[in-house]
Amino acid sequence: MKAPVRVAVTGAAGQVGYSLVFSIAAGDMLGGDQPVILQLLDIPDALPVLEGVAMELEDAAFPLLAGVTLHDSAEAAFDSVHYALLVGAKPRGPGMERGDLLEDNAAIFVAQGQALDAVADRDVRVLVVGNPANTNALIAQRNAPHLAAHQFSAMTRLDHNRALAQLARQTGEGVARIRRLTIWGNHSATLYADLDHAQVGDRAATELVTADWRRATFEPAVQQRGGAVIKARGKSSAGSAARAIVSHMHDWVLGTPPEDWASMSVLSDGSYGIAEGIYYSFPCRCTAGRHEIVQGLEINEASLKRLKATEQELLDERSVVAHLLP
Ligand code: NAD
Ligand code: LMR
């Protein structure tokens, strides 16, 4: 049996947290042979709820669950962690954009970046989910100067999965047949869901759908899906978000499937002409916790405009939080 690894989940008393921790304990995220210790963080007022989550984790009798600890301090929750899933943050309500959360949530990621820097395992991998996720990832990373930028990422896997589902429905194919779809940019209404390189089985996705469906139906549906879920449920996505977290971490740590890639928001290195110094969603291939941005994809003029629009939004968000970026 492998030695247990430590996984911190922030906001673990919240709705995404509740949908997530059982999957991690079941081995879905890090593999069926990897024991885990869950280090759960929430605010002091939420500790009674967190106790209830811990009771249910115990009652589920997961063979891979080697321990659960509960915390209301980030320094304690992040002690020696190998993986940190930063979910805890305010969600948006109806009529809001995710960027509207920046003012309320940014400070959380300053404090948590500093805490990770101080106490996490030096090889920790950090996924930022709390919105606006891309800019919060930048804040956390810049406040953790002793950790490397490649150890941080933000989540656009939910958008990737939404795009898979929309394309599967339109083509009548299963999601497992679809590869090489890309979400570019910000986890926001400016993201670009790109089918130019996607394949459905052996066929190019662009041969199976019309240009009109792409522009008028598919792209806006993926951009607006989070808002549509909020409108329907009265709350933002939780089950699908938890599944996206598990898939993002699984592929980052255990590797992306051959012949495919994952959409991950990582620190831009200038690939595809995107400004450096923002967490931007690119097509990435991963091996053993290291990502590489897929290079050499042909980007036409129409796509480039979309890549640039979502880049601009991230640059604007970065200016708003410039005072929080040491
Ligand atoms: P929620 O309100 O149900 O839960 C949030 C939890 O975070 C609460 O328990 C709250 O007490 C806790 N929290 C607040 N401040 C904290 C802090 N400083 N430290 C630790 N915990 C803290 O919200 P939710 O629906 O679980 O969503 C959580 C966040 O995830 C939101 O910002 C939401 O917008 C975001 N989200 C992102 C994606 C994505 O794809 N990137 C998907 C779904 C949700
Ligand atoms: C989502 O995409 O479902 C989440 O980011 C929640 C939201 O605010 O849309």
Side-chain angles (χ1 to χ4, degrees), residues 10-58:
T10 76
Q15 52 148 10
V16 174
Y18 185 75
S19 306
L20 173 65
V21 290
F22 298 92
S23 258
I24 301 173
D28 299 342
M29 186 171 96
L30 297 171
D33 60 348
Q34 179 57 70
V36 293
I37 297 170
L38 287 173
Q39 303 188 182
L40 308 182
L41 173 70
D42 213 294
I43 57 173
D45 281 355
L47 282 185
V49 176
L50 209 50
E51 297 274 3
V53 175
M55 287 163 68
E56 284 204 67
L57 280 166
E58 185 179 20

Side-chain angles (χ1 to χ4, degrees), residues 92 98 131 158 162 187 226 230 236-237:
R92 66 175 166 151
R98 298 181 188 93
N131 277 317
L158 179 52
R162 287 167 172 161
H187 174 59
I230 292 172
S236 54
S237 64

Side-chain angles (χ1 to χ4, degrees), residues 8 14 18 21 24 29 52 86 90 113 127 144-145 147 182 192 206-207 210-211 213 241 262-263 279 312 321 324-325:
Y18 185 75
V21 290
I24 301 173
M29 186 171 96
L86 308 189
K90 192 172 162 183
L127 171 62
L147 301 174
T182 306
Y192 174 42
T206 49
E207 288 173 14
T210 64
W213 177 79
S263 300
Y279 275 78
Q312 187 57 53
V321 299
L324 302 177
L325 304 175

Side-chain angles (χ1 to χ4, degrees), residues 210-267:
T210 64
D212 185 53
W213 177 79
R214 276 181 73 175
R215 299 296 180 227
T217 304
F218 170 74
E219 290 174 16
V222 179
Q223 289 172 327
Q224 302 296 339
R225 187 68 166 185
V229 170
I230 292 172
K231 199 165 167 215
R233 295 181 78 228
K235 288 180 180 173
S236 54
S237 64
S240 56
R243 160 127 174 105
I245 293 169
V246 165
S247 303
H248 175 114
M249 293 303 297
H250 178 278
D251 287 358
W252 196 8
V253 176
L254 299 175
T256 40
E259 306 302 318
D260 203 359
W261 57 62
S263 300
M264 290 173 68
S265 292
V266 297
L267 191 69

Side-chain angles (χ1 to χ4, degrees), residues 74-131:
E75 283 72 16
F78 295 157
D79 188 18
S80 306
V81 287
H82 303 97
Y83 305 101
L85 311 179
L86 308 189
V87 178
K90 192 172 162 183
R92 66 175 166 151
M96 292 173 73
E97 290 300 330
R98 298 181 188 93
D100 299 337
L101 295 167
L102 206 46
E103 202 175 316
D104 284 333
N105 286 343
I108 295 173
F109 295 89
V110 173
Q112 293 187 355
Q114 291 168 350
L116 286 163
D117 198 50
V119 301
D121 184 88
R122 294 303 81 187
D123 204 28
V124 65
R125 292 292 181 276
V126 182
L127 171 62
V128 177
V129 177
N131 277 317

